[in-house]
mmCIF file of all heavy atoms in Angstrom:
data_model
loop_
_atom_site.group_PDB
_atom_site.id
_atom_site.type_symbol
_atom_site.label_atom_id
_atom_site.label_comp_id
_atom_site.label_asym_id
_atom_site.label_seq_id
_atom_site.Cartn_x
_atom_site.Cartn_y
_atom_site.Cartn_z
ATOM 1 N N ALA A 1 -29.937 3.603 -37.314
ATOM 2 C CA ALA A 1 -30.972 4.319 -38.099
ATOM 3 C C ALA A 1 -31.848 5.217 -37.176
ATOM 4 O O ALA A 1 -32.185 6.303 -37.520
ATOM 5 C CB ALA A 1 -31.832 3.388 -38.883
ATOM 6 N N ARG A 2 -32.202 4.674 -36.015
ATOM 7 C CA ARG A 2 -32.989 5.489 -35.043
ATOM 8 C C ARG A 2 -32.178 6.697 -34.571
ATOM 9 O O ARG A 2 -32.707 7.779 -34.441
ATOM 10 C CB ARG A 2 -33.417 4.616 -33.866
ATOM 11 C CG ARG A 2 -34.653 3.734 -34.174
ATOM 12 C CD ARG A 2 -35.185 3.108 -32.889
ATOM 13 N NE ARG A 2 -34.230 2.210 -32.210
ATOM 14 C CZ ARG A 2 -34.107 0.946 -32.534
ATOM 15 N NH1 ARG A 2 -34.831 0.374 -33.456
ATOM 16 N NH2 ARG A 2 -33.234 0.226 -31.871
ATOM 17 N N GLU A 3 -30.886 6.489 -34.310
ATOM 18 C CA GLU A 3 -30.041 7.606 -33.900
ATOM 19 C C GLU A 3 -29.934 8.666 -34.997
ATOM 20 O O GLU A 3 -29.988 9.867 -34.735
ATOM 21 C CB GLU A 3 -28.647 7.095 -33.536
ATOM 22 C CG GLU A 3 -28.649 6.317 -32.229
ATOM 23 C CD GLU A 3 -27.294 5.626 -31.934
ATOM 24 O OE1 GLU A 3 -26.401 5.702 -32.809
ATOM 25 O OE2 GLU A 3 -27.170 5.032 -30.867
ATOM 26 N N ALA A 4 -29.829 8.235 -36.238
ATOM 27 C CA ALA A 4 -29.785 9.156 -37.380
ATOM 28 C C ALA A 4 -31.087 9.947 -37.497
ATOM 29 O O ALA A 4 -31.114 11.121 -37.763
ATOM 30 C CB ALA A 4 -29.474 8.402 -38.677
ATOM 31 N N ARG A 5 -32.205 9.213 -37.265
ATOM 32 C CA ARG A 5 -33.512 9.907 -37.310
ATOM 33 C C ARG A 5 -33.599 10.972 -36.206
ATOM 34 O O ARG A 5 -33.994 12.079 -36.466
ATOM 35 C CB ARG A 5 -34.623 8.848 -37.120
ATOM 36 C CG ARG A 5 -36.002 9.481 -37.127
ATOM 37 C CD ARG A 5 -37.080 8.530 -36.798
ATOM 38 N NE ARG A 5 -36.907 8.104 -35.396
ATOM 39 C CZ ARG A 5 -37.475 7.010 -34.895
ATOM 40 N NH1 ARG A 5 -38.222 6.235 -35.623
ATOM 41 N NH2 ARG A 5 -37.254 6.680 -33.626
ATOM 42 N N GLU A 6 -33.121 10.618 -34.991
ATOM 43 C CA GLU A 6 -33.181 11.560 -33.876
ATOM 44 C C GLU A 6 -32.288 12.741 -34.136
ATOM 45 O O GLU A 6 -32.674 13.922 -33.857
ATOM 46 C CB GLU A 6 -32.796 10.855 -32.596
ATOM 47 C CG GLU A 6 -33.854 9.830 -32.120
ATOM 48 C CD GLU A 6 -33.355 8.915 -31.028
ATOM 49 O OE1 GLU A 6 -32.206 9.085 -30.534
ATOM 50 O OE2 GLU A 6 -34.091 7.975 -30.695
ATOM 51 N N ARG A 7 -31.120 12.525 -34.692
ATOM 52 C CA ARG A 7 -30.194 13.672 -35.016
ATOM 53 C C ARG A 7 -30.852 14.569 -36.051
ATOM 54 O O ARG A 7 -30.803 15.780 -35.882
ATOM 55 C CB ARG A 7 -28.857 13.122 -35.541
ATOM 56 C CG ARG A 7 -27.818 12.824 -34.526
ATOM 57 C CD ARG A 7 -26.433 12.612 -35.128
ATOM 58 N NE ARG A 7 -26.441 11.718 -36.291
ATOM 59 C CZ ARG A 7 -26.374 10.365 -36.194
ATOM 60 N NH1 ARG A 7 -26.271 9.782 -35.040
ATOM 61 N NH2 ARG A 7 -26.355 9.613 -37.299
ATOM 62 N N ALA A 8 -31.437 13.999 -37.071
ATOM 63 C CA ALA A 8 -32.045 14.807 -38.139
ATOM 64 C C ALA A 8 -33.244 15.569 -37.593
ATOM 65 O O ALA A 8 -33.417 16.747 -37.945
ATOM 66 C CB ALA A 8 -32.482 13.918 -39.301
ATOM 67 N N GLU A 9 -34.009 14.954 -36.727
ATOM 68 C CA GLU A 9 -35.179 15.658 -36.150
ATOM 69 C C GLU A 9 -34.722 16.871 -35.322
ATOM 70 O O GLU A 9 -35.302 17.922 -35.371
ATOM 71 C CB GLU A 9 -35.999 14.698 -35.330
ATOM 72 C CG GLU A 9 -36.792 13.698 -36.142
ATOM 73 C CD GLU A 9 -37.450 12.616 -35.323
ATOM 74 O OE1 GLU A 9 -37.079 12.371 -34.166
ATOM 75 O OE2 GLU A 9 -38.373 11.979 -35.865
ATOM 76 N N GLU A 10 -33.642 16.655 -34.516
ATOM 77 C CA GLU A 10 -33.094 17.720 -33.724
ATOM 78 C C GLU A 10 -32.562 18.848 -34.627
ATOM 79 O O GLU A 10 -32.758 20.041 -34.344
ATOM 80 C CB GLU A 10 -31.988 17.204 -32.819
ATOM 81 C CG GLU A 10 -31.318 18.291 -31.952
ATOM 82 C CD GLU A 10 -32.302 19.008 -31.031
ATOM 83 O OE1 GLU A 10 -33.281 18.405 -30.588
ATOM 84 O OE2 GLU A 10 -32.116 20.213 -30.800
ATOM 85 N N GLU A 11 -31.888 18.513 -35.678
ATOM 86 C CA GLU A 11 -31.352 19.513 -36.615
ATOM 87 C C GLU A 11 -32.472 20.314 -37.256
ATOM 88 O O GLU A 11 -32.350 21.510 -37.449
ATOM 89 C CB GLU A 11 -30.500 18.823 -37.710
ATOM 90 C CG GLU A 11 -29.168 18.289 -37.233
ATOM 91 C CD GLU A 11 -28.491 17.403 -38.209
ATOM 92 O OE1 GLU A 11 -29.025 17.181 -39.349
ATOM 93 O OE2 GLU A 11 -27.415 16.891 -37.904
ATOM 94 N N LEU A 12 -33.586 19.673 -37.528
ATOM 95 C CA LEU A 12 -34.719 20.358 -38.125
ATOM 96 C C LEU A 12 -35.399 21.332 -37.152
ATOM 97 O O LEU A 12 -35.990 22.324 -37.577
ATOM 98 C CB LEU A 12 -35.782 19.361 -38.630
ATOM 99 C CG LEU A 12 -35.367 18.601 -39.892
ATOM 100 C CD1 LEU A 12 -36.365 17.475 -40.199
ATOM 101 C CD2 LEU A 12 -35.265 19.513 -41.111
ATOM 102 N N ARG A 13 -35.262 21.098 -35.870
ATOM 103 C CA ARG A 13 -35.809 21.977 -34.869
ATOM 104 C C ARG A 13 -35.005 23.265 -34.706
ATOM 105 O O ARG A 13 -35.474 24.259 -34.151
ATOM 106 C CB ARG A 13 -36.006 21.266 -33.520
ATOM 107 C CG ARG A 13 -37.138 20.277 -33.485
ATOM 108 C CD ARG A 13 -37.382 19.784 -32.085
ATOM 109 N NE ARG A 13 -36.433 18.790 -31.616
ATOM 110 C CZ ARG A 13 -36.550 17.491 -31.839
ATOM 111 N NH1 ARG A 13 -37.609 17.013 -32.445
ATOM 112 N NH2 ARG A 13 -35.644 16.665 -31.379
ATOM 113 N N GLN A 14 -33.742 23.201 -35.128
ATOM 114 C CA GLN A 14 -32.840 24.335 -34.924
ATOM 115 C C GLN A 14 -32.956 25.306 -36.088
ATOM 116 O O GLN A 14 -33.325 24.901 -37.202
ATOM 117 C CB GLN A 14 -31.408 23.867 -34.773
ATOM 118 C CG GLN A 14 -31.192 22.981 -33.586
ATOM 119 C CD GLN A 14 -29.831 22.406 -33.553
ATOM 120 O OE1 GLN A 14 -28.952 22.724 -34.334
ATOM 121 N NE2 GLN A 14 -29.592 21.472 -32.600
ATOM 122 N N LYS A 15 -32.643 26.564 -35.857
ATOM 123 C CA LYS A 15 -32.600 27.544 -36.961
ATOM 124 C C LYS A 15 -31.326 27.345 -37.738
ATOM 125 O O LYS A 15 -30.251 27.529 -37.180
ATOM 126 C CB LYS A 15 -32.718 28.945 -36.414
ATOM 127 C CG LYS A 15 -34.047 29.307 -35.873
ATOM 128 C CD LYS A 15 -34.197 30.760 -35.650
ATOM 129 C CE LYS A 15 -35.616 31.064 -35.316
ATOM 130 N NZ LYS A 15 -35.999 32.438 -35.542
ATOM 131 N N VAL A 16 -31.446 26.942 -38.969
ATOM 132 C CA VAL A 16 -30.281 26.705 -39.798
ATOM 133 C C VAL A 16 -30.541 27.310 -41.174
ATOM 134 O O VAL A 16 -31.642 27.728 -41.472
ATOM 135 C CB VAL A 16 -30.001 25.172 -39.928
ATOM 136 C CG1 VAL A 16 -29.561 24.578 -38.580
ATOM 137 C CG2 VAL A 16 -31.234 24.431 -40.475
ATOM 138 N N SER A 17 -29.547 27.277 -42.005
ATOM 139 C CA SER A 17 -29.697 27.771 -43.376
ATOM 140 C C SER A 17 -30.640 26.855 -44.123
ATOM 141 O O SER A 17 -30.899 25.736 -43.733
ATOM 142 C CB SER A 17 -28.332 27.826 -44.102
ATOM 143 O OG SER A 17 -27.882 26.535 -44.348
ATOM 144 N N GLN A 18 -31.092 27.339 -45.261
ATOM 145 C CA GLN A 18 -32.023 26.566 -46.097
ATOM 146 C C GLN A 18 -31.308 25.309 -46.609
ATOM 147 O O GLN A 18 -31.923 24.223 -46.636
ATOM 148 C CB GLN A 18 -32.514 27.384 -47.297
ATOM 149 C CG GLN A 18 -33.659 26.768 -48.015
ATOM 150 C CD GLN A 18 -34.262 27.706 -49.059
ATOM 151 O OE1 GLN A 18 -33.572 28.583 -49.558
ATOM 152 N NE2 GLN A 18 -35.493 27.481 -49.379
ATOM 153 N N LEU A 19 -30.055 25.383 -46.993
ATOM 154 C CA LEU A 19 -29.301 24.214 -47.400
ATOM 155 C C LEU A 19 -29.181 23.161 -46.296
ATOM 156 O O LEU A 19 -29.396 21.993 -46.539
ATOM 157 C CB LEU A 19 -27.901 24.657 -47.887
ATOM 158 C CG LEU A 19 -26.951 23.515 -48.347
ATOM 159 C CD1 LEU A 19 -27.549 22.782 -49.537
ATOM 160 C CD2 LEU A 19 -25.596 24.057 -48.692
ATOM 161 N N GLU A 20 -28.826 23.642 -45.099
ATOM 162 C CA GLU A 20 -28.724 22.692 -43.960
ATOM 163 C C GLU A 20 -30.098 22.038 -43.650
ATOM 164 O O GLU A 20 -30.178 20.856 -43.308
ATOM 165 C CB GLU A 20 -28.188 23.420 -42.731
ATOM 166 C CG GLU A 20 -26.738 23.799 -42.848
ATOM 167 C CD GLU A 20 -26.285 24.726 -41.753
ATOM 168 O OE1 GLU A 20 -27.056 25.628 -41.376
ATOM 169 O OE2 GLU A 20 -25.147 24.521 -41.280
ATOM 170 N N TYR A 21 -31.155 22.840 -43.776
ATOM 171 C CA TYR A 21 -32.511 22.345 -43.527
ATOM 172 C C TYR A 21 -32.825 21.183 -44.528
ATOM 173 O O TYR A 21 -33.333 20.132 -44.103
ATOM 174 C CB TYR A 21 -33.516 23.451 -43.677
ATOM 175 C CG TYR A 21 -34.953 22.989 -43.531
ATOM 176 C CD1 TYR A 21 -35.508 22.814 -42.257
ATOM 177 C CD2 TYR A 21 -35.746 22.764 -44.627
ATOM 178 C CE1 TYR A 21 -36.825 22.397 -42.108
ATOM 179 C CE2 TYR A 21 -37.084 22.347 -44.494
ATOM 180 C CZ TYR A 21 -37.601 22.144 -43.208
ATOM 181 O OH TYR A 21 -38.892 21.714 -43.078
ATOM 182 N N HIS A 22 -32.554 21.404 -45.788
ATOM 183 C CA HIS A 22 -32.816 20.387 -46.800
ATOM 184 C C HIS A 22 -31.941 19.122 -46.641
ATOM 185 O O HIS A 22 -32.376 18.009 -46.834
ATOM 186 C CB HIS A 22 -32.701 20.928 -48.211
ATOM 187 C CG HIS A 22 -33.799 21.887 -48.578
ATOM 188 N ND1 HIS A 22 -35.123 21.482 -48.736
ATOM 189 C CD2 HIS A 22 -33.794 23.207 -48.783
ATOM 190 C CE1 HIS A 22 -35.870 22.563 -49.030
ATOM 191 N NE2 HIS A 22 -35.072 23.589 -49.050
ATOM 192 N N HIS A 23 -30.732 19.375 -46.202
ATOM 193 C CA HIS A 23 -29.823 18.241 -45.911
ATOM 194 C C HIS A 23 -30.409 17.417 -44.734
ATOM 195 O O HIS A 23 -30.424 16.196 -44.769
ATOM 196 C CB HIS A 23 -28.448 18.776 -45.586
ATOM 197 C CG HIS A 23 -27.393 17.706 -45.344
ATOM 198 N ND1 HIS A 23 -26.895 16.923 -46.331
ATOM 199 C CD2 HIS A 23 -26.828 17.284 -44.188
ATOM 200 C CE1 HIS A 23 -26.052 16.035 -45.796
ATOM 201 N NE2 HIS A 23 -25.974 16.252 -44.519
ATOM 202 N N SER A 24 -30.848 18.093 -43.698
ATOM 203 C CA SER A 24 -31.477 17.392 -42.537
ATOM 204 C C SER A 24 -32.736 16.650 -42.933
ATOM 205 O O SER A 24 -32.972 15.566 -42.481
ATOM 206 C CB SER A 24 -31.770 18.397 -41.424
ATOM 207 O OG SER A 24 -30.565 18.962 -40.942
ATOM 208 N N GLN A 25 -33.519 17.254 -43.809
ATOM 209 C CA GLN A 25 -34.745 16.553 -44.312
ATOM 210 C C GLN A 25 -34.381 15.325 -45.014
ATOM 211 O O GLN A 25 -35.035 14.261 -44.843
ATOM 212 C CB GLN A 25 -35.487 17.498 -45.248
ATOM 213 C CG GLN A 25 -36.527 18.383 -44.590
ATOM 214 C CD GLN A 25 -37.379 19.084 -45.632
ATOM 215 O OE1 GLN A 25 -36.908 19.493 -46.727
ATOM 216 N NE2 GLN A 25 -38.657 19.254 -45.294
ATOM 217 N N ALA A 26 -33.337 15.340 -45.847
ATOM 218 C CA ALA A 26 -32.904 14.176 -46.597
ATOM 219 C C ALA A 26 -32.403 13.108 -45.650
ATOM 220 O O ALA A 26 -32.722 11.901 -45.809
ATOM 221 C CB ALA A 26 -31.821 14.503 -47.626
ATOM 222 N N ASN A 27 -31.665 13.491 -44.619
ATOM 223 C CA ASN A 27 -31.162 12.505 -43.658
ATOM 224 C C ASN A 27 -32.316 11.858 -42.873
ATOM 225 O O ASN A 27 -32.301 10.655 -42.655
ATOM 226 C CB ASN A 27 -30.222 13.216 -42.646
ATOM 227 C CG ASN A 27 -28.894 13.551 -43.231
ATOM 228 O OD1 ASN A 27 -28.510 13.024 -44.256
ATOM 229 N ND2 ASN A 27 -28.211 14.467 -42.631
ATOM 230 N N LEU A 28 -33.308 12.652 -42.541
ATOM 231 C CA LEU A 28 -34.492 12.136 -41.839
ATOM 232 C C LEU A 28 -35.261 11.145 -42.744
ATOM 233 O O LEU A 28 -35.600 10.032 -42.327
ATOM 234 C CB LEU A 28 -35.403 13.264 -41.408
ATOM 235 C CG LEU A 28 -36.714 12.869 -40.690
ATOM 236 C CD1 LEU A 28 -36.419 12.033 -39.435
ATOM 237 C CD2 LEU A 28 -37.529 14.074 -40.389
ATOM 238 N N ALA A 29 -35.481 11.535 -44.017
ATOM 239 C CA ALA A 29 -36.187 10.641 -44.918
ATOM 240 C C ALA A 29 -35.453 9.314 -45.131
ATOM 241 O O ALA A 29 -36.036 8.256 -45.121
ATOM 242 C CB ALA A 29 -36.378 11.332 -46.236
#
């Protein structure tokens, strides 16, 4: 779960599409 949180946080820091951003937000939550 910590690794998934770290991956999602890193994805949120990158410039991605709006869909990918919302997907990363859901993974982080």
